[in-house]
Amino acid sequence: MVVMEQVSAVERPSERAVTGAAYAVLVILGLVMGVLGAFHHSWYLSPIPISAIGCVLLLFAVCHGAGRAMGGKLAALAPAAGWLVMTMVWLAGRPEGDVVIANDPSGYVYLYGGVVAVLAGVLLSPTRHGGSWLLTQHSYGSRPPGPYQGPPGPYQGPPA
């Protein structure tokens, strides 16, 4: 005797829920990168702030990679926003005068290089309609298809 058991179909999460969770994970990744980068940006190899440069390159790779993987600039902006928020928290001075990101070459490379990396990662990410708006050719000033109707005539006033 064969017993057949009916199992209800497994409900899948909605696409919006999965997308929202992915954006939340990207923001958390940016926050973590902001914490780790702030505390480890000042490792030097001779006079070169090698860890600050590595943090900047990693930040660009994460922002650009997220934008490419999810196919939009908002995905590239999510880890960037997390990084910026955490970096601003670490830049705020305390009453004792302590700051996490110091006023030295590694701090400058980390801050300014990070901002440039974030901008580049977001701007070079593809848009929803495909391709990067920065690297595609646009036909600015072209007329829409259709017959040419000439310049508009003189203003006749509001309709009566």
Side-chain angles (χ1 to χ4, degrees), residues 125-151:
S125 294
T127 56
R128 287 276 180 206
H129 56 78
S132 172
W133 68 270
L134 188 60
L135 300 177
T136 56
Q137 292 183 350
H138 299 281
S139 56
Y140 296 111
S142 65
R143 292 193 167 91
Y148 179 67
Q149 298 181 7

Side-chain angles (χ1 to χ4, degrees), residues 2-58:
V2 177
V3 177
M4 301 282 289
E5 187 176 328
Q6 290 186 352
V7 179
S8 63
V10 177
E11 291 186 31
R12 292 179 170 234
S14 70
E15 186 176 336
R16 286 185 182 194
V18 172
T19 304
Y23 284 129
V25 167
L26 288 172
V27 170
I28 291 171
L29 178 63
L31 291 170
V32 169
M33 288 177 64
V35 170
L36 293 176
F39 285 106
H40 296 287
H41 72 278
S42 60
W43 295 356
Y44 284 87
L45 184 65
S46 192
I48 300 170
I50 197 73
S51 64
I53 294 170
C55 289
V56 168
L57 293 175
L58 183 64

Side-chain angles (χ1 to χ4, degrees), residues 80-145:
W83 178 82
L84 284 170
V85 165
M86 192 53 64
T87 301
M88 292 303 129
V89 167
W90 297 129
L91 283 177
R94 297 182 38 131
E96 300 88 22
D98 298 338
V99 292
V100 175
I101 300 172
N103 186 13
D104 63 354
S106 66
Y108 291 138
V109 168
Y110 179 70
L111 286 176
Y112 297 124
V115 170
V116 169
V118 162
L119 287 173
V122 171
L123 292 177
L124 293 175
S125 294
T127 56
R128 287 276 180 206
H129 56 78
S132 172
W133 68 270
L134 188 60
L135 300 177
T136 56
Q137 292 183 350
H138 299 281
S139 56
Y140 296 111
S142 65
R143 292 193 167 91

